[in-house]
Each structure stands twice: as structure tokens, then as C-alpha cells.
Amino acid sequence: QSDARDWDTGAAVKQLAATMRWREEHKVDQHRRPTQGLCGKDTSDWLSSRPDGHLVVGGVELWPALRQMVLGNHEGAWIFFGGPCMALGHDKQGRPIHLQRAGVASGKRMAEACAYFGREWQQAFMSRNIFFQELQAARMEDATQRFGHLVTQQVVIMDMAGMSFRPDQRALTIFRDFAGMMSRNYPETLYKQFIINAPRVFSAIWRIVRVWLDPNTREKVHVLGSTFAPTLLQHIDAHQLPVEYGGTSPYKFPVVKSIGEGEALWKAAVQEFNAPELLSETGWMAAPTPLG
């Protein structure tokens, strides 16, 4: 972690010790499943031969959390609240992509999420952010095996399309807390972050939130308008991106209008994942069946 403290070895050692204490205090390791079944290059071969369905489209895995993470009881709700937020595809160097539909998730949907989780809304959002960082870490480890070189960073695409002109102030609180948590506990794991479809109102918000990012991270953030595709394609092969993001993948982001629709989407993915023939073929552990 010395990069995160400008090559100050002493500071890096202190940060690492603090991170280990934080991980133990917050039971972070409970999010990850132990590696089992197909992984690495074998996963690539499986993805390329898998017919399109709820798990794979065009050779791109849609729900890697099913095989890599310990799942909770609110996955369907998070699909709705997040717009959905997806971990799918990789850049030209194998870095996993985290695609956030932040614009859709702003405003009214943000308020609904806070009401859903009640007094624990802030902790719920932080736990979800930690969950996604652990998922990305698991995908980095898998990518290291798949592509034959060390992968330790991720690419984040934050789509601001549909952003509310009056964003919920609680979203700024979450972003501030998340930025601090990332700097302390996941240093140097970001390769680049692309903020796309940013409306004019975002410029004012960006002036506020950019000061919460450390200088190294700030340099990795690129705020783009609606002509973002050429920039994304400099870093990501077209077949790894949906058409709406300038790629050629046939995957279309679902329009999820309620928690019920999010739950239905998640149940369909779990049902396909838990098919006996798939589990037998891959050696993966069955995912928990959603409640309801």
C-alpha cells in the first residue's frame, strides 16, 4: 500500500494495520465466498460457450456475485435502488468494470431506499459499498488467473443519465463517507473512473464532492458528457460494453421500476445459477434462494 501514502513506507504500514483492524471490526471477510469450482481461464472458456440467458450475454458474465460472494436478503431491492448497479465486463488489461447507474438512483429512488432501510439507511449503503468493493477484489483475483498477469485495479463507469435536478442531500453524505472509506481501506484500487452523461447541474455538485477525494484519486476521474463512447473504447473492447455505452454487447440494461421487479430479476438469475446441471458442470456452490 505504499503508493497510497506517496511511497512513505512507515505511513503505508500504519495504514495497512488500520485496514486490518477495520476489516476485523466490520467483519468484511464474511462477504467473500471461498474459491471453488471453475475459476480463472476455465471461467473464460465457460463464459464463451454459455448460451445467452440470465447469467451470461455475449460471453460477458452478468452476476459474478452469485459465485463469488455471500449474498443477503435484499439483492432484489438493491437492483431497484441502484438502477441497477452492475459488475460486468473488463477493460483491455482485464481490470473488472463496475457500472453504476447513479443518475437513475438519485432523487426519488434514493429517498425510497432510505425509507426502506429506516434508521439504518447510512449503514446499509456503506455495507453495500463494501460488498461491491469486495466483489471487485474477488474479480481482480479471478482476472489475474484468467489473463496471466497481476490485476489489482478496477474501472468504474458512473452513468448520470436521469439525474434528479434536486439530488437528495443524503446521497452527498454517502459519497463523502464512501470516498473516505475507499481512501483508507482500498487505496490504489481505482484505475480510472468515467462519469458519463453528466448534466449541467452535475458541475456544481462535482465542485463540492471533488474535495473529498484524495489528489491521486481525483486525477483518475474523468467527467464526460454524452459523447463518451470514444473515450471508453480507448480502454475497453467493444464486446465488453453494451450498445448503449458505445459497445457491441447485446446485453440491454433492464428497466426496473419497483422492488418487486428487482426481486423477479434476481430470482430468475438465481434459478438459472442453481440449476443442478450447471452446478455439476462448474463445481460452484448453490446461491441462496431469495425470500418471498
Side-chain angles (χ1 to χ4, degrees):
Q1 296 191 11
S2 18
D3 279 355
R5 289 295 176 263
D6 297 322
W7 300 101
D8 182 334
T9 304
V13 169
K14 289 181 180 179
Q15 182 182 25
L16 178 59
T19 294
M20 298 306 292
R21 289 194 299 271
W22 172 82
R23 292 184 67 88
E24 183 176 356
E25 178 183 349
H26 293 274
K27 299 180 172 59
V28 174
D29 291 336
Q30 71 182 1
H31 291 299
R32 299 273 294 273
R33 281 193 182 199
T35 301
Q36 33 79 41
L38 288 184
C39 60
K41 188 177 183 305
D42 291 336
T43 305
S44 295
D45 295 340
W46 182 84
L47 290 172
S48 64
S49 63
R50 179 77 182 176
D52 289 355
H54 295 292
L55 302 180
V56 179
V57 171
V60 176
E61 187 175 22
L62 304 181
W63 305 104
L66 283 167
R67 64 184 178 88
Q68 294 179 311
M69 302 297 288
V70 176
L71 303 165
N73 296 326
H74 302 290
E75 297 299 325
W78 280 118
I79 288 174
F80 168 64
F81 295 139
C85 175
M86 303 285 288
L88 78 169
H90 55 77
D91 77 354
K92 294 181 180 181
Q93 300 302 315
R95 303 180 188 95
I97 298 170
H98 182 189
L99 209 163
Q100 305 171 349
R101 308 272 274 195
V104 175
S106 67
K108 181 181 178 182
R109 202 169 291 198
M110 175 71 198
E112 290 182 66
C114 291
Y116 179 88
F117 290 108
R119 294 181 180 179
E120 303 298 322
W121 68 268
Q122 201 164 355
Q123 180 58 41
F125 274 94
M126 181 58 72
S127 294
R128 189 61 177 179
N129 283 328
I130 293 171
F131 174 93
F132 254 98
Q133 295 314 306
E134 290 300 304
L135 171 57
Q136 290 297 83
R139 296 179 71 208
M140 292 174 205
E141 293 173 9
D142 195 55
T144 294
Q145 296 183 50
R146 290 175 65 183
F147 301 107
H149 60 262
L150 187 62
V151 177
T152 61
Q153 294 179 308
Q154 62 180 309
V155 173
V156 177
I157 301 173
M158 182 180 287
D159 185 358
M160 303 307 299
M163 179 181 174
S164 171
F165 285 97
R166 301 181 67 179
D168 193 303
Q169 290 297 310
R170 289 169 291 192
L172 297 181
T173 299
I174 291 168
F175 185 89
R176 182 196 61 206
D177 293 348
F178 180 53
M181 183 272 292
M182 285 291 294
S183 177
R184 292 188 300 271
N185 302 301
Y186 297 94
E188 302 302 326
T189 58
L190 178 68
Y191 172 63
K192 289 188 182 296
Q193 177 164 340
F194 301 102
I195 300 176
I196 65 174
N197 289 320
R200 289 184 178 180
V201 68
F202 182 78
S203 298
I205 296 173
W206 178 239
R207 285 195 293 271
I208 296 172
V209 303
R210 70 190 305 272
V211 301
W212 297 332
L213 303 175
D214 68 65
N216 289 338
T217 300
R218 203 179 303 149
E219 291 180 1
K220 299 176 181 181
V221 178
H222 305 270
V223 181
L224 309 174
S226 58
T227 55
F228 54 82
T231 301
L232 295 186
L233 292 171
Q234 289 178 16
H235 302 276
I236 305 167
D237 288 325
H239 69 277
Q240 292 292 313
L241 282 172
V243 172
E244 63 185 295
Y245 291 107
T248 58
S249 169
Y251 178 68
K252 294 182 179 180
F253 267 76
V255 178
V256 182
K257 298 181 179 180
S258 67
I259 292 175
E261 290 185 5
E263 290 174 342
L265 184 64
W266 183 246
K267 286 179 181 179
V270 172
Q271 184 176 10
E272 183 175 326
F273 183 87
N274 284 347
E277 58 274 17
L278 184 148
L279 297 179
S280 175
E281 175 187 358
T282 61
W284 294 334
M285 189 186 310
T289 302
L291 300 177

